[in-house]
Amino acid sequence: MSTRTAPPDATMTAQSDRELLRLHRRACTDFAARMRLPAWEHMGMGLAPPLDSHTVADLLERAIDGNLAAAAEMSGQPAPAPVRIPTPAAGAGLAFGARAQDRPDPTQPVIESVRTVLAVAAGLDAGAGFSPRLRDLLWTRVTELTVLGYDLQQAISAGAGLDELLVDRILAAAPAVTVWPGLDVLPVDLSTPPLQRLLAMAGRPVGRWVDSSDPNCSTGQC
């Protein structure tokens, strides 16, 4: 009895799409893990230049909106309304008798958006082959969440670097992705290290980097 096998091109495409799904999950879970770092007090902080017209709250809102919009598109639903994270007023403290735990947790909507988009992505059939639009959508989430992880780390001076596998895979694929907030690509050459090339692709100059070898970073603060 003969068995049918998929054409080589179809097999390679299915493998590539499965790998893209794995990268998407990896980028989502990596960003979710970073939600141990930002606190209520960070929400109004400006991001590092050239993003200093935006705040940490803006960054988290972008991550949430991107995740939920992607989940909606994957499932054929209309995009949801943008999420807004409250920010503390400058110099504001807790009212007398108020408890810190009574403040809204600004990171919880991020975690929920990650769970939502991962649940929808888990139902995708990579074996059937993804459309070009779906591949673009997944690469956008992989790239944006990876770069936003860097932006968050720079803003609050906490963290231990980016996932090197994600950086390498993004550079190898070189997806035509515009990362929020849409900065111009910076010039690089072939001798530029991978992280700097990824940042340049997203319009980010290399700034102060949190050194994961610094013993103070074991607490998440450097």
Side-chain angles (χ1 to χ4, degrees):
M1 181 177 65
S2 64
T3 59
R4 297 180 60 186
T5 59
D9 288 348
T11 300
M12 292 298 294
T13 297
Q15 291 174 347
S16 177
D17 288 343
R18 290 190 186 97
E19 172 67 8
L20 180 51
L21 274 181
R22 287 191 288 268
L23 292 175
H24 176 254
R25 172 171 287 278
R26 189 175 181 121
C28 284
T29 54
D30 178 84
F31 195 82
R34 294 175 186 274
M35 292 304 98
R36 297 192 302 267
L37 302 174
W40 169 255
E41 292 77 11
H42 292 125
M43 291 303 105
M45 291 176 59
L47 304 180
L51 306 176
D52 43 338
S53 62
H54 302 280
T55 66
V56 171
D58 294 332
L59 183 153
L60 297 187
E61 288 169 359
R62 173 57 200 176
I64 296 167
D65 292 341
N67 288 338
L68 295 181
E73 183 166 345
M74 290 177 198
S75 56
Q77 302 297 318
V83 171
R84 291 295 169 257
I85 294 176
T87 57
L94 280 175
F96 179 75
R99 298 174 299 172
Q101 57 264 39
D102 291 332
R103 296 171 175 173
D105 179 359
T107 67
Q108 190 57 36
V110 182
I111 301 298
E112 292 173 358
S113 74
V114 166
R115 289 172 178 163
T116 297
V117 74
L118 285 180
V120 174
L124 298 176
D125 183 5
F130 293 159
S131 68
R133 171 58 193 160
L134 180 53
R135 291 191 190 104
D136 288 346
L137 183 63
L138 290 169
W139 273 120
T140 296
R141 301 313 307 137
V142 171
T143 306
E144 186 163 85
L145 288 174
T146 301
V147 174
L148 292 184
Y150 171 88
D151 294 335
L152 176 63
Q153 184 163 320
Q154 293 297 301
I156 66 177
S157 300
L162 294 188
D163 185 320
E164 293 182 0
L165 185 143
L166 287 173
V167 172
D168 290 344
R169 293 293 191 274
I170 294 168
L171 291 175
V177 170
T178 300
V179 176
W180 176 90
L183 303 175
D184 292 335
V185 175
L186 301 178
V188 294
D189 56 42
L190 293 178
S191 65
T192 305
L195 174 62
Q196 296 180 25
R197 279 190 283 139
L198 174 63
L199 297 176
M201 187 175 80
R204 273 75 166 165
V206 176
R208 187 185 68 79
W209 181 245
V210 179
D211 184 0
S212 58
S213 66
D214 185 332
N216 292 325
C217 288
S218 64
T219 63
Q221 299 293 333
C222 304

